[in-house]
Amino acid sequence: MTGKTSTAWTFAVTATALFMASLDNLVVTTALPSIRDHLHASLEGLQWTVNAYTLTFAVLLLTGATLGERYGRRRMFVAGLALFTAGSAAAAMAPGIGLLIAARAVQGVGAAILIPLTLTLLSAAVSPERRGLALGAWGAVGGLAIAIGPLVGGAVVEGASWQWIFWLNVPIGIVLLPIAWTKLTESRGSTTRLDLPGLILASVGLFGIVLGVVRGNDHGWTSLTVLPALVIGAVLVAAFIGWELRGAREPMLPMQLFRSRGFALTNAASLLMFFGMFGSIFLLAQFLQVVQHYSPLQAGLRTLPWTAMPVFIAPFAGALSDKIGGRALLATGLGLQAIGLGWLAVVASPTVAYTTLVPAFVISGVGMSLFFAPVANVVLSSVRRDQEGIASGANNAIRELGGVFGIAVLGAVFSAHGSYATGTAFVSGLAPAVWVGAAAVAVASAAALFLPGIRRAVTASPADEPVLELDPVS
């Protein structure tokens, strides 16, 4: 197999796998009302239907990359793909909400192994002079999956049933498995130890906190099923931080990265951005169907002014980022996203016209685009070149955790003020929840203002590559 053929196969396999796994982040949101009706699921069950995937994905993301470096990237890619495919089949056949949540967790484990290795395999397969083009195309595939997720989910649910949003993954996975095994080239990275204590502390601790937040309103915040989970979860997360700082020989999340102001602030902004965005989308996707009585497909189409905006704006924002730096774009994008969410919180009512929502969707979509375009470059520019891989993985994990806590906390706010009983009751919970999301993104915008600026130095590195230096905040 020639070099060009090998590269083409690698891109085809990794891009297809990335698209399939990334689509699951948002495709399920449009199906939530159908899942609720068919499986008689509570709000807590719907939250875990989303969070079982994103929580396992976020916690295991850094470990998945390490497994590939240690045991072989192709081998672990195939293992992750098999897990994701099996989890999809189990989700499609789930007779109740409990088994659906368990299957979603299996999907999350598979995706945590699969997605980081798509980037590693592709980067190793292309020549240095074509790597930028290939990785740009890789990013576009992931962005497209997120953009059309609600639309695909709505079309599938309306045309068939909610089970088919999972069944569609199965034949794709079955076809990809032998192709991946025969066409991808096996490779390994530096031998690293698995940080098993860190993984256990982070997983159990975060699970406890999310469990407590999700159950708080229904069970009582001081009940034996809530308060101990919150306290134990917080203690274990603190123990994880202590372990990563002092005990781990090869930590899964090196805490010294957070000594960089750029890295710490960008990750804080990313966490708050995904907190507000995913928490709000979780409720707004249901609002369009439960209250506005749109079909799943109609609801998916109506979210496109928001979710599809990065496809049109991000390329221009990326070029602008190279000229003016990422700080201004991040702060502006987050500010627009906060304004859009605040607009939705103000105008939401059982009878609000869709045309009243469109400007808020567009503003939010533009803001999201301005955030996505420079964030990766800002993160990588804040660390040394040899730390870029772990820094990128950490940023992705923190973003996913932001979405997990956004759904949990905004769901708790919704439950405290509203319900599914009537359209008015739903909006009574929706409005304060989205206000909380808007406030979180506004704080993220303020944090972005304190990012160090990035400029190109006149000097060059020994490899004749431009050196990025940080300017103080003006």
Side-chain angles (χ1 to χ4, degrees):
M1 193 161 50
T2 65
K4 288 185 177 180
T5 303
S6 176
T7 300
W9 274 113
T10 301
F11 180 79
V13 171
T14 56
T16 303
L18 173 68
F19 183 85
M20 180 176 65
S22 298
L23 198 67
D24 257 48
N25 264 332
L26 282 177
V27 71
V28 176
T29 58
T30 312
L32 289 174
S34 297
I35 293 172
R36 175 174 169 267
D37 292 340
H38 186 258
L39 298 182
H40 308 291
S42 63
L43 174 63
E44 179 181 338
L46 295 181
Q47 288 175 292
W48 280 112
T49 299
V50 178
N51 280 346
Y53 178 87
T54 51
L55 183 58
T56 52
F57 175 71
V59 171
L60 296 173
L61 187 62
L62 295 174
T63 301
T66 301
L67 289 171
E69 299 298 289
R70 185 177 180 87
Y71 297 109
R73 294 162 181 161
R74 181 188 65 178
R75 178 181 299 170
M76 295 311 303
F77 176 88
V78 170
L81 180 59
L83 266 179
F84 185 85
T85 304
S88 298
M93 294 186 291
I97 192 66
L99 289 177
L100 176 59
I101 291 170
R104 290 282 289 160
V106 173
Q107 280 189 299
V109 175
I113 299 171
L114 183 69
I115 289 182
L117 291 177
T118 61
L119 181 58
T120 310
L121 286 164
L122 182 60
S123 180
V126 298
S127 58
E129 61 270 15
R130 299 180 63 85
R131 189 166 294 156
L133 177 63
L135 298 186
W138 177 89
V141 169
L144 179 63
I146 293 174
I148 67 173
L151 177 60
V152 172
V156 171
V157 171
E158 188 167 333
S161 67
W162 66 265
Q163 288 91 340
W164 277 96
I165 63 176
F166 302 114
W167 276 129
L168 286 177
N169 294 330
V170 177
I172 298 173
I174 291 173
V175 170
L176 276 184
L177 281 167
I179 297 175
W181 187 255
T182 57
K183 300 298 183 181
L184 297 180
T185 302
E186 185 61 283
S187 61
R188 287 178 171 82
S190 58
T191 302
T192 55
R193 292 174 177 266
L194 289 179
D195 182 13
L196 192 57
L199 175 61
I200 293 172
L201 289 171
S203 302
V204 180
L206 290 169
F207 176 78
I209 294 173
V210 174
L211 179 66
V213 172
V214 167
R215 289 186 167 183
N217 283 316
D218 290 339
H219 295 247
W221 291 96
T222 58
S223 69
L224 290 177
T225 58
V226 174
L227 187 58
L230 290 171
V231 172
I232 294 171
V235 169
L236 290 177
V237 169
F240 165 75
I241 295 173
W243 170 257
E244 298 298 287
L245 280 170
R246 301 182 183 278
R249 290 181 59 183
E250 296 185 38
M252 61 184 287
L253 181 58
M255 290 297 164
Q256 66 267 26
L257 292 176
F258 292 93
R259 294 174 184 168
S260 163
R261 183 179 60 177
F263 183 82
L265 287 175
T266 304
N267 279 287
S270 296
L271 185 141
L272 292 170
M273 163 66 173
F274 274 63
F275 177 99
M277 181 183 71
F278 272 98
S280 299
I281 288 176
F282 172 78
L283 294 170
L284 289 165
Q286 296 179 72
F287 167 77
L288 291 172
Q289 296 180 59
V290 174
V291 179
Q292 296 273 288
H293 304 296
Y294 290 116
S295 70
L297 177 58
Q298 290 171 332
L301 284 168
R302 280 162 175 78
T303 61
L304 282 178
W306 184 352
T307 60
M309 196 60 64
V311 175
F312 305 101
I313 302 296
F316 301 101
L320 187 61
S321 175
D322 290 334
K323 295 181 179 179
I324 68 173
R327 179 176 61 192
L329 284 184
L330 284 177
T332 302
L334 290 165
L336 289 174
Q337 179 77 85
I339 290 170
L341 291 177
W343 184 320
L344 291 168
V346 168
V347 304
S349 74
T351 57
V352 64
Y354 173 69
T355 52
T356 305
L357 304 176
V358 170
F361 285 164
V362 171
I363 291 171
S364 295
V366 172
M368 186 167 65
S369 306
L370 296 180
F371 170 82
F372 282 150
V375 67
N377 187 43
V378 174
V379 168
L380 297 183
S381 299
S382 66
V383 299
R384 299 193 312 265
R385 187 174 294 276
D386 63 317
Q387 296 174 323
E388 288 182 351
I390 192 70
S392 177
N395 180 249
N396 286 329
I398 288 169
R399 283 160 50 171
E400 293 294 331
L401 286 175
V404 170
F405 282 104
I407 291 170
V409 173
L410 268 62
V413 174
F414 170 86
S415 180
H417 296 86
S419 70
Y420 288 91
T422 64
T424 301
F426 191 98
V427 172
S428 296
L430 173 72
V434 176
W435 270 123
V436 171
V441 181
V443 172
S445 178
L449 292 173
F450 293 92
L451 282 168
I454 299 174
R455 62 180 174 84
R456 289 194 179 277
V458 177
T459 59
S461 68
D464 294 327
E465 294 180 354
V467 175
L468 292 177
E469 293 185 352
L470 301 180
D471 289 332
V473 177
S474 56

